[in-house]
Amino acid sequence: MLDPTHIRFVLNGAETELTVDAAELLVDMLRGPCKLKGTKRSCDVEVCGACTVLVDGLPVSSCTTLAIDIDGKKVTTIEGLSQNGKLSKVQQAFLDHAAMQCGFCTSGMVLATTALLEQKPHASEAEIRHFLHGNICRCTGYVKILEAVKSLV
Amino acid sequence: MFLVPFTHHRPASLDEVFETLGRHGDDAAVYAGGTELLLALKARVLRYEHLIDLKQVKELSGIRVEGKELVIGALATHHQIANSDVVKAHVPAYAALSEEVANIRVRAAGTLAGNLAFAEPHSDPPSLLSAMDATLVLVSPGGKRAVPMRAFILSEFTTAREENELIAEIRIPVTAAGEGFAYRKFGHLERPAVGASAGCIMREGKPSYRLWFGAIGDHPLQATEIEDAIAGVPATSLPDVLPRAARDCAAGISTASDLHGSADYKQHLASVLIQRALAAACEAAQNKGGANA
Ligand SMILES: Cc1cc2nc3c(=O)[nH]c(=O)nc-3n(C[C@H](O)[C@H](O)[C@H](O)COP(=O)(O)OP(=O)(O)OC[C@H]3O[C@@H](n4cnc5c(N)ncnc54)[C@H](O)[C@@H]3O)c2cc1C
Ligand code: FES
Ligand code: FES
């Protein structure tokens, strides 16, 4: 039985209203009706972080979050970080340090880093490693990623 | 993976939750973060016609101190607990444990109550909550009852909770002066292979110890053999008796070889981790039940 529900939320700064099905997952809503393909699905079990989006500033796995649970909340995807065509500081640091290879983990890494710096602008290396340990880079480019994040603290 | 369609409910009060549960019985499940439940639904391990979101139920929220107890509402996430000044000040070892649960995304959405209700054995909180002698308050249409953490988890995915009961709150005795607790774990998968919790309680210069293993069995295990072997031994003399007692006790734990490691590897971890946890607990007790990790 489908159970369509009307939700209102702020998506990358814009007030948004959508009708979603109760069983719809956030990742499918973002990549489908919202046409935001920067959010990736990989493990599908909350382990890898490719599907990371920020909900009220905290990282969540959109692969295992109901779309209706973001009713009334603020959602930030990778598409929401740049302002007026200018990359965010975190995006620019990843670019400057070549902190990506295939790029599949990158939106999750950048969003998790954005949340970390919001909470701890001067995070130590240990704190960076701890916060990002749930974001997996299958290309194993961790050294460059760590360099990029360390350049920001 | 997609979810099989269901009807969603978002009650604002406990009365409404019980009313909805009463109407749909076995066909309905409650959830908070959904970090366990949605995985099980995606994997088609569980199936429900109705999901009831608890997140708007005010009676279940909040973290506060009442008398000598820290009270953690069922909706508190691991992230909120880890970062709560109240938890850090009053039960520091539990705040430290919360920061080490899972990854930041699961901590941000997942609740302590959801973790305990699900009773997946490879979990961090139960052994430390047992060592701390915490209590769960269960609520049903008939009222409330308290169940000690030590008696709550019966076996894997099975608890003392009746079907019409919810976890309302978790109550942890505030760590007093002269008390120290610590948790140590190890694993190479997402969840711990073995966890070990220790408490050191100094009363008039005499220590008593509480030791619990987690994750290695299908419910938390009290290390009574070690507790007996070291009863009354001052912290400074523990190195004389603890290593052998820990080894002997760990070797007797019945555990199966599985993805987390072979049985003897896990027994070895248990022996090492319980010693480290106790050393940290004693140090914390000496620092006046203060900043222990
Ligand atoms: C990738 C991953 C890694 C993890 N790693 C760890 C780890 O290292 N250590 C660890 O300890 N745990 C770990 N976990 C488990 C994690 O702690 C739990 O997933 C989380 O706490 C569950 O909370 P929730 O609110 O999301 O539960 P939900 O998924 O919302 O609910 C879980 C179950 O509890 C029931 N339930 C929820 N709330 C209540 C309530 N108030 N009363 C009665 N029943 C209720 C639901 O019906 C359901 O059956 C991990 C999980 C994942 C997915
Ligand atoms: S796809 Fe969601 S965490 Fe891996
Ligand atoms: S750059 Fe390929 S997965 Fe990280």
Side-chain angles (χ1 to χ4, degrees), chain B residues 70-118:
Chain B
L70 172 76
V71 184
I72 298 179
L75 292 174
T77 63
H78 300 295
H79 179 76
Q80 286 165 349
I81 297 168
N83 290 283
S84 154
D85 289 335
V86 177
V87 184
K88 284 195 266 190
H90 292 96
V91 191
Y94 193 76
L97 175 148
S98 297
E99 185 60 31
E100 301 298 326
V101 169
N103 58 49
I104 179 62
R105 300 181 307 282
V106 173
R107 286 197 296 279
T111 60
L112 169 58
N115 175 304
L116 298 177
F118 203 63

Side-chain angles (χ1 to χ4, degrees), chain B residues 85-161:
Chain B
D85 289 335
V86 177
V87 184
K88 284 195 266 190
H90 292 96
V91 191
Y94 193 76
L97 175 148
S98 297
E99 185 60 31
E100 301 298 326
V101 169
N103 58 49
I104 179 62
R105 300 181 307 282
V106 173
R107 286 197 296 279
T111 60
L112 169 58
N115 175 304
L116 298 177
F118 203 63
E120 138 79 65
H122 289 277
S123 160
D124 294 306
S127 69
L128 185 60
L129 292 178
S130 296
M132 291 177 158
D133 208 6
T135 308
L136 275 64
V137 177
L138 304 182
V139 59
S140 69
K144 288 186 176 175
R145 68 174 174 129
V147 178
M149 181 67 226
R150 296 172 176 194
F152 182 69
I153 297 180
L154 305 178
S155 69
E156 45 182 17
F157 307 110
T158 311
T159 70
R161 187 175 68 87

Side-chain angles (χ1 to χ4, degrees), chain A residues 127-144:
Chain A
E127 287 170 331
I128 297 170
R129 285 174 178 268
H130 174 68
F131 200 89
L132 294 183
H133 104 268
N135 286 74
I136 296 174
C137 176
R138 314 262 182 198
C139 300
T140 71
Y142 294 108
V143 172
K144 295 287 181 191

Side-chain angles (χ1 to χ4, degrees), chain B residues 178-214:
Chain B
E179 300 181 0
F181 291 89
Y183 176 67
R184 292 290 182 271
K185 65 164 161 179
F186 191 77
H188 44 263
L189 301 174
E190 280 296 309
R191 301 172 195 237
V194 180
S197 297
C200 168
I201 288 133
M202 298 292 293
R203 295 265 188 277
E204 288 153 13
K206 291 213 174 66
S208 66
Y209 304 109
R210 296 186 197 156
L211 300 169
W212 286 77
F213 292 116

Side-chain angles (χ1 to χ4, degrees), chain A:
Chain A
M1 189 192 0
L2 294 182
D3 180 18
T5 307
H6 197 66
I7 59 171
R8 297 174 62 156
F9 59 104
V10 177
L11 179 57
N12 295 331
E15 294 280 352
T16 306
E17 294 193 28
L18 268 183
T19 300
V20 295
D21 185 68
E24 190 162 343
L25 292 162
L26 182 55
V27 65
D28 295 314
M29 185 199 84
L30 292 170
R31 292 180 53 86
C34 299
K35 300 195 172 61
L36 298 172
K37 306 271 185 181
T39 305
K40 308 297 183 193
R41 176 191 255 127
S42 180
C43 71
D44 212 23
V45 290
E46 300 167 87
V47 168
C48 76
C51 68
T52 302
V53 299
L54 305 184
V55 176
D56 288 347
L58 281 177
V60 304
S61 293
S62 62
C63 69
T64 313
T65 301
L66 294 179
I68 43 178
D69 273 350
I70 60 156
D71 193 17
K73 304 205 179 268
K74 275 194 195 142
V75 179
T76 307
T77 69
I78 191 70
E79 291 87 349
L81 292 186
S82 63
Q83 298 294 326
N84 306 317
K86 193 167 173 284
L87 295 181
S88 75
K89 277 197 310 203
V90 179
Q91 289 175 307
Q92 190 62 49
F94 271 63
L95 193 59
D96 293 345
H97 290 81
M100 73 219 48
Q101 295 178 50
C102 77
F104 208 78
C105 70
T106 310
S107 16
M109 288 284 182
V110 168
L111 285 162
T113 303
T114 303
L116 165 66
L117 297 179
E118 195 63 44
Q119 290 175 29
K120 296 202 163 107
H122 304 294
S124 65
E125 177 167 340
E127 287 170 331
I128 297 170
R129 285 174 178 268
H130 174 68
F131 200 89
L132 294 183
H133 104 268
N135 286 74
I136 296 174
C137 176
R138 314 262 182 198
C139 300
T140 71
Y142 294 108
V143 172
K144 295 287 181 191
I145 292 169
L146 195 59
E147 280 173 12
V149 182
K150 278 165 71 178
S151 78
L152 293 162
V153 292

